[in-house]
């Protein structure tokens, strides 16, 4: 098994990303709805790329995950928001870790972001552990925030504050 690499998302990646985003575990763990078209996903990621980056994690030529980070505007331009998605067949194999490392390095060393933030379903224990590993803490919990599979689910707001050393 080869190593996992991170690179910019390319147009040839759309089929693989659409397949990942349509997986049951991905739909359950994100705000994606079932049966969304490849075109709607493409438009969403393009909008975010205008203010940020889209990266993929690959092993050889196979896309295993995708992450997006964008900068907020105005008086919040020191803040980035992110989304990270891993193919359900490659959970717990270092894909999320590799994607998160790429995002955090970009946020800290290239964009000079002070704050990174995200939301995560409270029952997504593996994702919460990954985010905590990278310095994210839970800032609050939104009750009944997400409607999933006929039930309401709480969602944590998590953030990471970059305290650069002088």
């Amino acid at each position: 098994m080869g190593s996992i690499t991170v690179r910019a998302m390319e147009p040839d990646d759309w089929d693989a990303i659409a397949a990942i985003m349509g997986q049951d575990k991905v739909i359950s763990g994100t705000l994606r709805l079932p049966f969304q078209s490849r075109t709607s996903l493409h438009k969403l990621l393009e909008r975010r790329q205008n203010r940020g980056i889209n990266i993929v994690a690959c092993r050889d030529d196979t896309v295993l995950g995708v992450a997006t980070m964008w900068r907020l505007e105005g008086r919040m331009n020191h803040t980035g928001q992110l989304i990270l998605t891993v193919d359900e067949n490659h959970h717990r194999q270092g894909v999320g870790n590799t994607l998160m490392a790429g995002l955090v390095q970009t946020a800290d060393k290239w964009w000079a972001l002070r704050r990174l933030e995200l939301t995560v379903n409270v029952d997504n224990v593996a994702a919460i552990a990954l985010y905590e590993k990278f310095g994210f803490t839970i800032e609050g919990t939104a009750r009944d925030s997400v409607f999933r599979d006929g039930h309401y689910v709480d969602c944590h707001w998590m953030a990471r504050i970059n305290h650069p050393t002088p």
Side-chain angles (χ1 to χ4, degrees):
M1 199 172 352
S3 63
I4 299 168
T5 59
V6 173
R7 62 170 172 76
M9 186 178 69
E10 298 292 343
D12 290 348
D13 298 327
W14 282 114
D15 288 336
I17 293 168
I20 291 169
M21 296 302 248
Q23 294 173 334
D24 290 338
K25 285 184 183 177
V26 171
I27 292 169
S28 178
T30 65
L31 297 179
R32 300 279 304 152
L33 292 170
F35 310 115
Q36 289 192 324
S37 72
R38 183 177 180 265
T39 303
S40 68
L41 172 64
H42 187 245
K43 287 180 183 178
L44 173 70
L45 290 176
E46 267 188 343
R47 277 196 315 269
R48 290 197 175 128
Q49 190 168 7
N50 289 337
R51 290 192 337 230
I53 60 167
N54 295 327
I55 59 175
V56 294
C58 300
R59 183 175 290 125
D60 301 319
D61 290 331
T62 303
V63 175
L64 307 176
V66 60
T68 301
M69 181 172 64
W70 63 97
R71 180 188 295 270
L72 298 182
E73 296 175 341
R75 292 174 50 189
M76 294 184 70
N77 71 352
H78 63 288
T79 302
Q81 291 184 336
L82 62 95
I83 297 172
L84 189 146
T85 305
V86 175
D87 183 312
E88 65 187 23
N89 300 308
H90 297 280
H91 286 182
R92 299 187 182 274
Q93 295 179 20
V95 178
N97 191 74
T98 303
L99 286 167
M100 184 60 77
L103 293 178
V104 167
Q105 180 180 11
T106 301
D108 292 352
K109 296 184 178 186
W110 294 98
W111 290 9
L113 291 178
R114 174 85 168 152
R115 176 182 172 86
L116 281 178
E117 55 187 34
L118 56 85
T119 59
V120 60
N121 294 341
V122 297
D123 57 358
N124 195 341
V125 177
I128 293 168
L130 172 67
Y131 303 144
E132 287 175 338
K133 177 181 174 182
F134 280 89
F136 285 78
T137 59
I138 296 170
E139 293 189 328
T141 302
R143 294 177 36 223
D144 291 348
S145 178
V146 176
F147 191 71
R148 177 185 70 197
D149 198 26
H151 305 282
Y152 290 98
V153 178
D154 294 351
C155 184
H156 288 316
W157 285 94
M158 297 184 77
R160 173 188 178 273
I161 306 298
N162 182 18
H163 298 285
T165 54

